[in-house]
Amino acid sequence: MRFLVSSLVSNGPDPVTGARHSPQEKLANVVEQAVVAERLGYDGYGVGERHGEPFLSPAPPVLLGAIAARTSTIRLFTTVTVLSILDPVRVAEDYAMLDQLSGGRVELIIGKGNDPRHFGLFGLPEERQWDALAENYALLRRLWSEENVTWQGSTRPPLTDATVSPRPLQRPIPVWHGSATSTQSTDLAARHGDPLFSANSFHPLAKYRSLVEHYRERWEHYGHDPKQARVGSSFGGLFLARRSQDAVEGFRPYWDALVNSAAGKHNNSPFTSLEDALERGSALVGSPQQVIEKLHRYHEAFGNEVVGIGVDGLTESAQWEQLELFASEVAPVIRRELP
């Protein structure tokens, strides 16, 4: 099992203290998270792409470049790159540059995005989001694998004999497909023989399991070896304590802030309370043993080889405490039991 820490660089008021960082302070905090994650033995650090308040992550390659300069081994993920609204030429150039600078540590997770605001911001009709994602990804693959690309489509002006430079250091840069709600993302991943990354945050296990199962079905449909299908999964919150009651009460203000946020409302989560979410959902809240058992339960359902966690909404002292507790009490057990 590999472990990924990720951030959307959300910069709202702290639910416990009410304090709010300046943009500079918050961005510095995210870079420091990645440095700490590498020191504690995590396998990857991811930065998501969002456009608009309260997020400070419109340009993941820039922030990941800063992280690359402070780290040396940790893999650098995008969680996710909203490829539906981006120019594939720009994406190809930006992440090839980052791959070179980082020594070949980049892994993209692509998707159509979870925030409806970006469609209008970038002039994309929302009804075209899936078509745009598929078309842009097909072009991105060609730009990274071919030279003198000639192409014509509906999402950008035509290309004639186009070659992007620099080329990625990795051949190829690994690309995962982010999956939250639609079988269109699982089908696109399976069609291209790429791994799937389940969002797995706002809904019960059964909803995400059905998407993972669809991915595996379509994987075989397209003629791929079932043993080669790969799945990763994020989890909807992290808060560990020696006593489960302390973990639940420690996480409660962060949960309340999340469900009352614009993102929480947009995702129409069916959970009626924190206790309901802990019972039926993916949040890793409780004692280390409870979290280990939940990770096993999800692995049985998904067959995932990557676990994604986030601590971004917590106070800084809680961030470091949670990352260290998970790395020392949970990750070694899971790595041993689910190698």
Side-chain angles (χ1 to χ4, degrees):
M1 189 70 73
R2 292 197 295 167
F3 295 98
L4 167 70
V5 182
S6 66
S7 172
L8 283 170
V9 202
S10 180
N11 196 35
D14 185 280
V16 176
T17 66
R20 184 171 183 169
H21 292 300
S22 70
Q24 182 185 32
E25 290 169 336
K26 182 60 183 179
L27 292 167
N29 167 248
V30 169
V31 174
E32 195 61 29
Q33 271 188 42
V35 172
V36 170
E38 180 175 86
R39 188 179 75 237
L40 292 173
Y42 288 90
D43 301 284
Y45 191 87
V47 173
E49 178 182 345
R50 288 292 178 90
H51 300 271
E53 289 283 346
F55 305 102
L56 299 174
S57 55
V62 176
L63 187 48
L64 288 170
I67 291 170
R70 294 278 311 278
T71 59
S72 59
T73 59
I74 199 166
R75 301 290 292 176
L76 306 175
F77 282 76
T78 63
T79 53
V80 302
T81 293
V82 186
L83 190 56
S84 57
I85 61 172
L86 302 176
D87 184 342
V89 175
R90 182 81 264 181
V91 174
E93 292 174 337
D94 284 349
Y95 288 105
M97 177 76 80
L98 177 62
D99 200 48
Q100 290 286 347
L101 288 170
S102 67
R105 290 188 279 144
V106 173
E107 299 196 29
L108 261 64
I109 303 177
I110 64 167
K112 60 89 179 171
N114 186 251
D115 190 331
R117 294 176 297 177
H118 55 229
F119 299 114
L121 184 63
F122 286 87
L124 175 69
E126 190 168 355
E127 63 272 15
R128 288 213 65 241
Q129 57 186 322
W130 291 110
D131 291 340
L133 176 63
E135 184 175 304
N136 286 347
Y137 181 50
L139 177 55
L140 176 64
R141 287 171 61 93
R142 291 190 62 193
L143 291 168
W144 273 344
S145 62
E146 302 175 26
E147 298 182 358
N148 304 315
V149 173
T150 296
W151 173 92
Q152 186 167 345
S154 64
T155 59
R156 56 149 292 128
L159 296 173
T160 302
D161 293 332
T163 301
V164 296
S165 181
R167 314 299 287 173
L169 183 60
Q170 300 176 93
R171 295 298 182 93
I173 289 176
V175 177
W176 302 67
H177 294 248
S179 168
T181 59
S182 174
T183 55
Q184 294 187 70
S185 58
T186 52
D187 184 85
L188 184 65
R191 188 188 322 160
H192 287 287
D194 295 330
L196 184 77
F197 207 99
S198 174
N200 191 37
S201 294
F202 287 98
H203 294 270
L205 182 152
K207 177 173 183 175
Y208 299 108
R209 179 172 55 196
S210 68
L211 290 168
V212 172
E213 289 172 349
H214 180 264
Y215 164 69
R216 295 186 186 279
E217 291 167 4
R218 299 305 291 172
W219 181 274
E220 292 193 53
H221 169 81
Y222 288 115
H224 304 303
D225 181 352
K227 294 179 181 179
Q228 299 301 314
R230 301 170 60 203
V231 175
S233 178
S234 61
F235 286 79
L238 174 69
F239 208 99
L240 293 162
R242 300 298 176 192
R243 297 194 324 146
S244 59
Q245 302 95 315
D246 294 337
V248 172
E249 292 313 308
F251 187 66
R252 191 175 300 279
Y254 302 106
W255 165 259
D256 291 341
L258 176 62
V259 298
N260 290 313
S261 68
K265 294 174 182 176
H266 172 69
N267 282 278
N268 298 315
S269 177
F271 301 131
T272 58
S273 65
L274 172 57
E275 285 73 15
D276 182 34
L278 298 182
E279 176 67 26
R280 299 195 293 138
S282 68
L284 302 176
V285 177
S287 68
Q289 185 57 39
Q290 286 175 313
V291 167
I292 289 167
E293 291 170 359
K294 178 170 279 191
L295 289 173
H296 270 282
R297 186 162 72 250
Y298 272 84
H299 181 262
E300 290 175 4
F302 295 171
N304 58 300
E305 65 179 60
V306 180
V307 166
I309 62 172
V311 295
D312 214 34
L314 309 182
T315 60
E316 287 192 22
S317 60
Q319 288 177 18
W320 314 142
E321 178 185 33
Q322 291 302 316
L323 289 175
E324 187 165 0
L325 269 173
F326 189 92
S328 62
E329 302 288 334
V330 176
V333 177
I334 295 296
R335 284 193 174 109
R336 183 174 66 251
E337 295 176 349
L338 299 172

